[in-house]
Amino acid sequence: MARSLWTGSLSFGLVNVPVQLVSAVRDRDVHFHQVHKETGERVQMQRVASTDGKEVDWEDVAKGWETDDDRMIVLTDEDFEAAQPDKTRTVDIDLFVALTDIDPVYFDHPYWLLPAGDGDGPIRAYRLLVDVMAKAGQVAIGRIVLRAKEYLVALREQDGLLSLTTMHFADELRTPDDIGAIPTGKKGKPTKREIDDAVALIGELTDDFKPSRYDDCHRVRLLRLIDEKRKNGEVEIPEHDPEPAPQKAPKDLMAALEESLATARARSKKGGGTATSRGGSKRRAKAG
């Protein structure tokens, strides 16, 4: 079982449910050490002062905030304690909303909220909340304090458990107004026929989302490359084509839509398309 990151209780009215927090994702990135290119020896990083180049001990390192007039405000761990939220071991539910009311852009990191504690009581309270939320089909909005920081969270029933997702606060998000990208006026307005063909194309490409269809191809290639270099001391490096320039909008939008629609319909009749890959000449890279 994954390691618990937090234990506490979920407050639902006068009902407190003992729970523990477990991350719902796992780190599958390929991690590396920084090493000397010629010898493979590990490279160590040192903290040095920018003016005299002397090494600074970790206990003497603080955080600094640079002001508009180039002053550096030094903040210590003790200073940060003054800004910490009240320490709490409770997820306080504020209200319930429909999942469709929450724009996915607000969601950040997913966790599982699992029952904690021994005996029938904690499990019974947990299962009661799971069943109630499943029946209501609502998402609970609340707050949690993790590692001295307060987060807005969304909780819902998922596969017989409670999931908790941290959320961005509203002022953390850039709106279309902030970036000035909203097209206005009649310039570039598509015709009804173009819209109809585009909607039909979306219909042809619509299917159920199955996450297992998608693999992290870069990680797979990277691990294969590492294994090849471990065995042979060198790897085959394909000669990649030059990076293409960004594609421009088609001169004849209607023709492009009709061709895309015809291709999608033909693929649907055949039961799906086939993946293609580009080959090329290869060169060898030797182990260092």
Side-chain angles (χ1 to χ4, degrees), residues 96-104 107 137-140 154-157:
F96 289 85
V97 299
L99 179 60
T100 53
D101 288 346
I102 307 175
D103 191 318
F107 293 131
Q138 297 286 86
V139 176
L155 303 98
R156 64 189 179 105
E157 183 276 335

Side-chain angles (χ1 to χ4, degrees), residues 66-233:
E66 190 170 3
T67 64
D68 293 336
D69 57 356
D70 298 327
R71 291 179 57 209
M72 187 66 72
I73 308 300
V74 179
L75 298 172
T76 64
D77 292 340
E78 291 75 15
D79 294 326
F80 281 104
E81 288 181 4
Q84 289 183 4
D86 292 335
K87 291 182 173 61
T88 176
R89 284 287 178 180
T90 304
V91 181
D92 295 309
I93 295 177
D94 293 331
L95 75 162
F96 289 85
V97 299
L99 179 60
T100 53
D101 288 346
I102 307 175
D103 191 318
V105 73
Y106 282 96
F107 293 131
D108 185 17
H109 190 93
Y111 298 88
W112 289 114
L113 202 59
L114 306 177
D118 300 324
D120 180 68
I123 300 296
R124 186 179 182 86
Y126 181 88
R127 293 192 62 177
L128 170 65
L129 188 54
V130 169
D131 293 345
V132 168
M133 292 189 66
K135 187 174 182 179
Q138 297 286 86
V139 176
I141 303 297
R143 292 173 182 262
I144 188 175
V145 176
L146 295 173
R147 295 180 290 274
K149 182 179 178 181
E150 188 177 57
Y151 294 87
L152 184 67
V153 296
L155 303 98
R156 64 189 179 105
E157 183 276 335
Q158 189 174 353
D159 298 327
L161 295 173
L162 290 178
S163 69
L164 178 150
T165 304
T166 55
M167 303 175 67
H168 298 291
F169 288 99
D171 61 358
E172 294 179 298
L173 301 176
R174 287 179 174 172
T175 67
D177 288 332
D178 293 333
I179 59 178
I182 302 177
T184 58
K186 295 183 178 180
K187 184 179 180 180
K189 187 175 181 179
T191 65
K192 181 180 182 303
R193 186 179 173 187
E194 289 171 340
I195 293 175
D196 290 343
D197 272 6
V199 170
L201 178 58
I202 291 174
E204 291 294 334
L205 298 176
T206 298
D207 199 352
D208 295 331
F209 175 58
K210 298 178 181 177
S212 58
R213 287 179 177 176
Y214 303 95
D215 296 319
D216 186 342
C217 298
H218 177 260
R219 187 179 72 237
V220 171
R221 290 193 297 267
L222 192 56
L223 291 173
R224 188 182 299 133
L225 178 148
I226 293 171
D227 187 57
E228 182 181 352
K229 194 155 191 176
R230 177 182 64 84
K231 292 177 179 178
N232 305 324

